[in-house]
Amino acid sequence: MRLYSMPSSGNSYKVRLLLALLGRDCEIVDCEHGSVAKEDARATGALPFGKLPALHLNDGRRIAESNAILCFLGEGTRFWPADPVTRAQMLAWLFWEQYNHEPAIAVRAALRNYPHRAADATPARLADLLDRGHTHLQTMEDRLAAHDWLAGEAISLADLCLYAYTHSAGVLGGFEMARFPAINDWLARVAAQPGYKGLND
Amino acid sequence: MRLYSMPSSGNSYKVRLLLALLGRDCEIVDCEHGSVAKEDARATGALPFGKLPALHLNDGRRIAESNAILCFLGEGTRFWPADPVTRAQMLAWLFWEQYNHEPAIAVRAALRNYPHRAADATPARLADLLDRGHTHLQTMEDRLAAHDWLAGEAISLADLCLYAYTHSAGVLGGFEMARFPAINDWLARVAAQPGYKGLND
């Protein structure tokens, strides 16, 4: 297996985190934004949908979309709920992450930190993303105030998926994480998992 | 089972379409935008994430997110690929739909057709969404020019998911569908499935 991965991206990190927790070997091709490697990967069609991450299997087949890769690698492991309803609730968090959480929380971090995004980082846009991001964090806080994990009562792909951009939402995104004590406790529970690796590990 | 469904929404329609193709009974609670029913559903906590559609099971558990509901209802049926890689590729289309396709194609249709969205329908925004939507439709066209279906070689949840907002992209969204002959052939293949129901059926 070969993973085309953007080192600074939470979408890529969530896959590297799952691989680390599972103790699975995988060739990693670093494709940072603006790098020759990323342009080469895109030009040669290595990236379905033109996006990172992308997983290439040994038989040549390719899987796009970070959360689809999580499902492919995670099915049948301890991160995959056996109960069909819990599994669907886990998937609901994954879709919510892509539709609601990522476009506010990851995008605000990107606008503040990537030089090529600076032109879009207007005060009005940053303020709007701050409000939306806090709303989404409150949705997680409400769940985590009553449960240790997002779906069901055990860690699942939902927690790894949401961890990726939430754990850096304060430092990179400027969100007020002190308002969300249950999220902070949950972040510590994820980071305590055997085999855990940080974004830059 | 009870489905809280917004009649005019593609996200709700995709679930109703799957139920029809599977011949499954389900109580449908219509919650159009601005209706008392929708406000009641939201106020009583019937909608996880505050969004439609939402599926309530007989044991009281609830599943949010249209594409998670598709997976819950579709697992083990003919719309669920048996091969794990094809299944992951199907899921990739579902995540891509929520992150890329829906925010351009469904949002442009909403801005043009819902009175409460008219204030956001500036010429610049509509033009940007038109460009982005055509790019996403071209991604589908490229796949469908070489294959009958989006994931693998048989119809799957990916086709039902993408059908919902693509089939009305011309009439409601103002996209130039004549540019996409393979999509138009594929739309006809979906509509020819036994048990098919249209958005307003």
Side-chain angles (χ1 to χ4, degrees), chain A:
Chain A
M1 290 195 306
R2 177 188 298 157
L3 181 71
Y4 289 81
S5 163
M6 180 163 151
S8 68
S9 153
N11 281 328
S12 292
Y13 169 51
K14 63 177 85 152
V15 178
R16 299 198 305 273
L17 175 58
L18 176 61
L19 288 166
L21 294 175
L22 294 175
R24 285 194 68 166
D25 284 332
C26 183
E27 180 189 351
I28 307 282
V29 180
D30 282 344
C31 297
E32 192 49 74
H33 177 80
S35 68
V36 172
K38 181 172 177 181
E39 292 314 308
D40 279 356
R42 195 192 295 266
T44 57
L47 310 180
F49 300 138
K51 294 162 73 177
L52 289 161
L55 185 67
H56 287 208
L57 305 179
N58 293 337
D59 68 4
R61 292 194 288 177
R62 296 159 184 200
I63 302 172
E65 293 290 333
S66 58
N67 289 348
I69 298 171
L70 285 188
C71 290
F72 177 74
L73 296 173
E75 188 175 345
T77 74
R78 71 187 183 99
F79 303 106
W80 188 258
D83 172 63
V85 178
T86 308
R87 204 155 62 228
Q89 291 170 334
M90 174 190 81
L91 289 172
W93 282 105
L94 267 55
F95 287 110
W96 178 83
E97 189 254 359
Q98 285 292 290
Y99 194 81
N100 292 93
H101 184 281
E102 205 268 8
I105 291 171
V107 167
R108 193 170 200 272
L111 293 178
R112 285 163 45 103
N113 294 281
Y114 289 128
H116 72 284
R117 300 295 299 275
D120 295 328
T122 61
R125 182 133 191 241
L126 290 173
D128 175 60
L129 292 171
L130 189 69
D131 282 349
R132 289 166 49 200
H134 283 148
T135 298
H136 300 325
L137 291 167
Q138 189 61 51
T139 297
M140 294 176 65
E141 180 74 11
D142 291 345
R143 164 72 195 181
L144 292 168
H147 301 270
D148 280 355
W149 307 104
L150 292 171
E153 302 304 333
I155 189 170
S156 76
L157 298 180
D159 302 290
L160 306 185
C161 168
L162 268 305
Y163 181 85
Y165 285 112
T166 305
H167 89 291
S168 57
V171 172
L172 298 181
F175 294 97
E176 298 168 15
M177 298 307 292
R179 291 166 51 178
F180 307 108
I183 290 181
N184 291 320
D185 289 347
W186 164 82
L187 290 172
R189 282 193 292 278
V190 174
Q193 294 293 307
Y196 171 86
K197 280 190 178 177
L199 175 64
N200 300 312
D201 293 346

Side-chain angles (χ1 to χ4, degrees), chain B residues 44-83:
Chain B
T44 59
L47 310 180
F49 301 140
K51 295 162 73 176
L52 290 161
L55 185 68
H56 288 210
L57 305 178
N58 293 337
D59 67 4
R61 292 194 288 178
R62 296 159 183 199
I63 302 172
E65 293 290 331
S66 58
N67 289 348
I69 298 170
L70 285 188
C71 290
F72 177 73
L73 295 173
E75 188 175 344
T77 73
R78 71 187 182 97
F79 302 106
W80 189 258
D83 172 64

Side-chain angles (χ1 to χ4, degrees), chain B residues 21-22 42 63 78-79 145 159 166 168:
Chain B
L21 295 175
L22 293 175
R42 194 192 297 266
I63 302 172
R78 71 187 182 97
F79 302 106
D159 302 290
T166 305
S168 57

